[in-house]
Amino acid sequence: MSPITTHVLDTSLGAPAEGVPVVLLRVEDGAATELARGETNTDGRVTDLLPPGEAAPGVYRLVFDTAAYFAAGGREAFYPAVEVLFTVEKNGGHYHVPLLLSPYGYSTYRGS
């Protein structure tokens, strides 16, 4: 499994958010480098962004294309994208970054 994973739940539907495009970037010296792209599966998860192992320490950004997700369901949304920056520590293990999403709000946390 990738050392960085995510899970998107659509709290307005009470269900996993399938089909959310996700981009993973690494941020160094103010510049972001794209590492991977994925899309949430039927369970709202992306588990294969990076090869198995440890992620290099540093700052990462997950970008969720929420506009595409809500448009596919015929719904409007206030936030066209959600960007989550987080820090990976040396020997930090697995980083799971869930996103709780609705058309007019979101929250995130470090999961397990």
Side-chain angles (χ1 to χ4, degrees), residues 67-76:
Y69 167 72
F70 285 115
R75 299 187 289 162
E76 292 184 16

Side-chain angles (χ1 to χ4, degrees), residues 2 5 9-10 12 14 24 29 31 48-49 81:
S2 172
T5 59
L9 297 172
D10 186 332
S12 66
L24 175 66
D29 300 323
D48 59 355
L49 288 169

Side-chain angles (χ1 to χ4, degrees), residues 7-64:
H7 186 196
V8 184
L9 297 172
D10 186 332
T11 59
S12 66
L13 298 177
E18 179 181 0
V20 178
V22 178
V23 179
L24 175 66
L25 303 108
R26 178 130 190 250
V27 181
E28 290 183 278
D29 300 323
T33 303
E34 183 176 317
L35 301 178
R37 289 180 174 266
E39 188 172 284
T40 56
N41 62 19
T42 56
D43 195 33
R45 297 178 185 273
V46 181
T47 60
D48 59 355
L49 288 169
L50 297 174
E54 289 283 324
V59 176
Y60 290 79
R61 178 185 300 149
L62 279 169
V63 180
F64 300 87

